[in-house]
Amino acid sequence: MGILTIFLDRATNLKDKDTIGESDPYIKFELEQNNFVGDEDHGEHKSTTKENDLNPVYGETFHCNIPTLDNMELTVKVMDDDIVGDDKMGKCKIKLEKLGLSESPTPLREKVYNRVFGDDSYVFLTLTYTE
């Protein structure tokens, strides 16, 4: 059993999903182990919501107990908090076993939305793993 630590630094250039004002983004993390026979969920975490901010700074840390890094995938979803239903603003999947994670911090810049015109949207994370 190990501990994956996710430090959510910030997100940049998020796509505005609201017609009035700007989006109220939050980040949702989901951990899943992809096995040949059935996938296994290992929990999810949610950041705070940043009102009217398309370049939010979070500075939040999350700790996840996971059995191993083998076949483990971290899904990062950027969501817009709305009264009626939350809109997806972007998403990426990170295969953790390919990163060579350790107790030394691994900074990541992951694209969550690809724009044809303008700057792409990114999430900035730092990951560590201790056994």
Side-chain angles (χ1 to χ4, degrees):
M1 200 65 142
I3 298 173
L4 174 70
T5 301
I6 304 166
F7 175 72
L8 171 59
D9 181 20
R10 68 190 189 281
T12 58
N13 302 314
L14 298 179
K15 181 175 173 51
D16 193 3
K17 290 292 206 173
D18 287 349
T19 51
I20 299 173
E22 291 184 340
S23 294
D24 306 318
Y26 67 89
I27 312 290
K28 190 173 179 181
F29 298 103
E30 297 173 351
L31 275 164
E32 181 178 82
Q33 189 171 26
N34 296 321
N35 299 314
F36 291 113
V37 181
D39 295 339
E40 192 174 329
D41 289 331
H42 287 281
E44 60 182 52
H45 294 277
K46 179 182 168 187
S47 74
T48 57
T49 300
K50 303 295 181 181
E51 293 186 21
N52 297 314
D53 195 347
L54 299 179
N55 293 287
V57 175
Y58 292 93
E60 298 176 25
T61 303
F62 305 92
H63 302 282
C64 314
N65 292 318
I66 56 176
T68 178
L69 290 174
D70 295 341
N71 301 321
M72 197 65 69
E73 189 171 74
L74 176 66
T75 301
V76 181
K77 294 181 181 177
V78 183
M79 305 295 292
D80 176 22
D81 188 24
D82 285 327
I83 294 170
V84 178
D86 296 350
D87 299 316
K88 185 165 61 170
M89 299 173 71
K91 175 182 172 180
C92 71
K93 292 189 175 202
I94 304 167
K95 296 194 180 300
L96 297 178
E97 72 179 321
K98 294 184 177 184
L99 297 177
L101 295 175
S102 68
E103 292 180 22
S104 298
T106 302
L108 297 174
R109 175 182 180 245
E110 294 293 322
K111 186 185 296 187
V112 292
Y113 187 78
N114 189 21
R115 288 205 175 113
V116 176
F117 302 105
D119 296 331
D120 295 333
S121 300
Y122 289 92
V123 170
F124 294 81
L125 310 168
T126 301
L127 303 179
T128 58
Y129 181 70
T130 53
E131 292 188 82

